Amino acid sequence: MDKANLDWSNLPFGYVKTDFHVESYYKDGKWSSLQTMEKDTIELSMAATCLHYGQEAFEGLKVFEHKDGTVSVFRVDENALRLQRSARKLVMQEVPQDLFIEAVEKVVQLNKRFIPPYGTGATLYIRPLLLGISGRLGVQPSEEYLFLVFASPVGPYFKEGLKPLKFKIEEKMKRAAPGGTGDVKVGGNYAASLRVTRQAQKEGFKEVVYLDAATNQYLDESGPANFFGITKDGKYITPKSETILPSITNKSLMHLAEHDLGMTVENRPVRVEEIHHLAEAGCCGTAAVITPIKSLTYQGETITYCETDEVGPYSKKLYDLLTSIQVGDVPDKYGWNRKIDIR
Ligand code: PLP
Ligand code: COI
């Protein structure tokens, strides 16, 4: 089948309607078999709990075409488990891991003409979504759920790609609080971040890095991605915090830094003052991949990590290694790629 007629190398991180999505409903105590749907709209009760009370969780993962034309999805089992954690936190019905993986594979097979060609830098982004759909007026969990998965071909989240970008440390506004939902992937966290990003962008920054809500002393993460720094002696440091999303990209980078690049990795609370002692900084995630931070502005002072648009050497090495594994150019020795049969 011919590929879709898209300008693959210049795709933004945006929604493109593909041919099909898949749906499963949880009703009467069980999940239905997957249905293939052509329309990209869904019908919902206007009283659905996802609409009023935020009973909604989602995932994001990527599918890559390799040089030999085969296709794989990165660490899909981890995303399945994370959606289950998100579901538990919002008292939603968990999606079985098998159903999650089957849905991802099916949506890729159905939309294979949208898988960006190897070498274009674009990927097929997969967005699984879990919604509480019972009509309720009281604040209560839903009985019925819709699990759907759609796909969209995308370029880098930050259109600049691997170019260093200016970030600020957000000193006042928060996206998540201890005991809340910052550690799961639910829509409310992103709703809370919109005003913060908008304000930062008005001030000339691309994004923010949040501080922990309890003490305002420790780095948390960025709105759409985790934060990492490289110390001047070459250590990979990244915040441990109960109010950030455990990133699968960051977990992978920590593993590669330690086992493949021989770096010391520190996953621990990171005091905000430590930004003064970093050689490189960046944020990481499925959509963001590695986005280098050019400078961080905090308390009126700007700390610059990249004088030019050149990326720091450790960030570059990590980026190259991760993306080479994902597209199959480097052996997948940790078994992170799951092949999908698209013949
Ligand atoms: N943090 C937040 C708030 C995110 O939305 C994401 C994206 O999923 C990440 C971190 C990165 O997580 P992952 O690497 O699993 O995509
Ligand atoms: C991802 O990286 O997959 C995400 O879901 C982040 C989102 C803000 C685009």
Side-chain angles (χ1 to χ4, degrees):
M1 186 192 273
D2 288 342
K3 293 264 186 201
N5 185 18
L6 293 170
D7 184 5
W8 301 108
S9 302
N10 293 305
L11 283 179
F13 187 87
Y15 176 62
V16 172
K17 184 186 178 314
T18 51
D19 291 333
F20 303 101
H21 75 273
V22 295
E23 293 183 353
S24 170
Y25 282 87
Y26 184 83
K27 280 189 183 154
D28 303 324
K30 55 178 190 302
W31 287 101
S32 67
S33 54
L34 288 169
Q35 298 295 310
T36 300
M37 310 299 289
E38 215 167 331
K39 284 205 273 187
D40 68 344
T41 52
I42 52 175
E43 197 166 302
L44 279 182
S45 161
M46 62 189 173
T49 61
C50 63
L51 298 176
H52 300 254
Y53 301 129
Q55 227 198 359
E56 179 278 340
F58 67 100
E59 272 304 323
L61 57 164
K62 278 179 172 172
V63 166
F64 301 84
E65 185 174 282
H66 297 206
K67 202 184 256 172
D68 62 5
T70 60
V71 162
S72 65
V73 58
F74 191 66
R75 303 197 80 169
V76 57
D77 45 341
E78 293 276 346
N79 292 88
L81 294 176
R82 192 169 62 188
L83 185 64
Q84 292 183 339
R85 283 203 300 277
S86 300
R88 284 197 292 275
K89 197 147 210 181
L90 297 195
V91 197
M92 300 172 83
Q93 185 62 39
E94 288 177 36
V95 176
Q97 200 178 20
D98 290 355
L99 177 62
F100 184 99
I101 295 174
E102 185 192 341
V104 169
E105 289 187 341
K106 189 160 184 174
V107 89
V108 174
Q109 288 159 341
L110 290 167
N111 294 298
K112 63 183 180 184
R113 69 190 189 93
F114 290 96
I115 303 169
Y118 170 86
T120 55
T123 56
L124 188 67
Y125 186 77
I126 309 296
R127 176 52 62 86
L129 196 58
L130 177 62
L131 304 173
I133 57 169
S134 302
R136 291 269 190 270
L137 212 46
V139 182
Q140 291 159 357
S142 188
E143 250 164 52
E144 298 181 346
Y145 291 88
L146 167 58
F147 170 57
L148 70 83
V149 182
F150 69 85
S152 182
V154 298
Y157 186 74
F158 295 111
K159 67 177 185 317
E160 295 82 354
L162 196 58
K163 192 176 143 198
L165 302 175
K166 290 184 192 168
F167 281 49
K168 71 177 259 204
I169 304 274
E170 175 52 50
E171 292 173 52
K172 277 219 314 268
M173 291 186 279
K174 304 293 171 195
R175 64 179 274 288
T181 58
D183 61 340
V184 290
K185 203 161 170 62
V186 302
N189 297 340
Y190 299 83
S193 76
L194 291 172
R195 77 199 197 291
V196 187
T197 305
R198 171 152 304 177
Q199 178 60 30
Q201 287 173 349
K202 273 192 202 149
E203 294 167 19
F205 302 102
K206 196 72 192 184
E207 251 297 348
V208 309
V209 176
Y210 291 91
L211 295 178
D212 77 290
T215 71
N216 228 28
Q217 291 300 312
Y218 293 91
L219 298 175
D220 254 0
E221 65 172 336
S222 182
N226 276 183
F227 175 86
F228 71 89
I230 308 289
T231 59
K232 291 187 175 144
D233 57 353
K235 285 184 197 147
Y236 182 99
I237 63 169
T238 188
K240 194 186 196 79
S241 160
E242 63 163 303
T243 48
I244 69 177
L245 188 73
S247 154
I248 297 158
T249 312
N250 199 5
K251 184 174 175 179
S252 309
L253 291 173
M254 286 190 261
H255 194 89
L256 296 175
E258 185 177 340
H259 295 96
D260 293 65
L261 302 181
M263 298 166 72
T264 299
V265 171
E266 293 180 0
N267 181 204
R268 57 165 172 79
V270 178
R271 289 192 72 84
V272 59
E273 291 77 29
E274 294 187 52
I275 60 174
H276 294 282
H277 309 295
L278 296 175
E280 297 175 32
C283 65
C284 62
T286 298
V289 195
I290 283 183
T291 299
I293 296 179
K294 183 180 180 67
S295 61
L296 262 178
T297 298
Y298 175 54
Q299 294 185 330
E301 191 186 346
T302 295
I303 301 125
T304 299
Y305 303 111
C306 305
E307 294 292 349
T308 64
D309 279 347
E310 204 174 317
V311 181
Y314 286 98
S315 303
K316 177 85 171 70
K317 261 192 232 166
L318 284 163
Y319 178 94
D320 287 346
L321 184 53
L322 177 70
T323 53
S324 303
I325 293 171
Q326 290 172 327
V327 299
D329 286 350
V330 161
D332 174 28
K333 60 183 176 186
Y334 305 117
W336 290 342
N337 294 334
R338 185 185 173 95
K339 287 273 181 192
I340 299 180
D341 188 353
I342 53 151
R343 281 167 301 162

